[in-house]
Amino acid sequence: MECDQEWYKKHIIVFADMILKNKLKSPFNEMLLINYIKLLMKEYQVNKAITVSEAAFEMYPSNPYFLYLKNANKLNNIEMACLKMLDELKEDSNKLREARRDNDQWLVYNAIDLIPDIMLKLLTKAEYYDHAKELLNEINLTMGHHNYIEPEIGLYKSE
């Protein structure tokens, strides 16, 4: 079975390349390109999936599936960027906490209390609503200004 999947993958890449270069004319071209884009998505090659779906939509503008795949992949790209930013923010926050430990002079910088606001915004944009709601419950909204997350506060508190 594994051998069949590798064979399929190898051949769909070859056929998709031929289709995109207008070297293959077949009634199955659209379906082959759709399957190729899905393969790229499965392998988390989002940028390539966007490029191929844009090219496919140019070739077949009457097929709405290519428009869907292009935009779905752009949304996936945004989600991945949000999650990457979230990881970087966590890492930087840990470095900041480590630098602040046992050092009272850092207490004047209360902006660290606003870092969860950015995390909440990123979780919401990445559509991790349950995690965002949990984080919002941990944020002390009575301390400081939380203007940046007013839409999220309204969204999660109205539920």
Side-chain angles (χ1 to χ4, degrees), residues 35-87:
N35 288 336
Y36 178 56
I37 295 166
K38 288 179 178 181
L39 173 69
L40 293 171
M41 292 170 70
K42 180 181 174 196
E43 294 183 344
Y44 301 103
Q45 297 183 41
V46 177
N47 290 329
K48 189 165 185 176
I50 291 169
T51 303
V52 173
S53 58
E54 286 173 343
F57 186 64
E58 287 293 317
M59 293 173 76
Y60 304 102
S62 63
N63 188 331
Y65 206 58
F66 294 121
L67 181 63
Y68 165 78
L69 289 170
K70 177 177 82 168
N71 289 289
N73 279 297
K74 285 183 177 182
L75 287 172
N76 288 339
N77 214 4
I78 291 169
E79 178 183 350
M80 288 169 48
C82 287
L83 292 173
K84 183 177 183 227
M85 287 175 61
L86 190 59
D87 285 341

Side-chain angles (χ1 to χ4, degrees), residues 116-117 120 123 129-142 149 152-153 155-159:
D117 290 13
L120 177 73
L123 285 167
Y129 303 119
D130 292 339
H131 297 298
K133 192 172 181 178
E134 283 178 31
L135 180 59
L136 181 61
N137 290 332
E138 295 172 12
I139 295 174
N140 185 352
L141 297 175
T142 59
I149 59 169
E152 287 77 11
I153 293 170
L155 174 71
Y156 295 120
K157 293 296 181 182
S158 68
E159 291 181 350

Side-chain angles (χ1 to χ4, degrees), residues 2 10 12 17 28 39 54 70-71 102 108 113-115 120 124 126 131 135 147 149-150:
E2 184 67 32
K10 185 173 97 176
I12 198 165
D17 186 53
F28 303 106
L39 173 69
E54 286 173 343
K70 177 177 82 168
N71 289 289
D102 301 327
V108 295
D113 296 331
L114 298 176
I115 291 174
L120 177 73
T124 301
H131 297 298
L135 180 59
N147 300 341
I149 59 169
E150 281 182 13

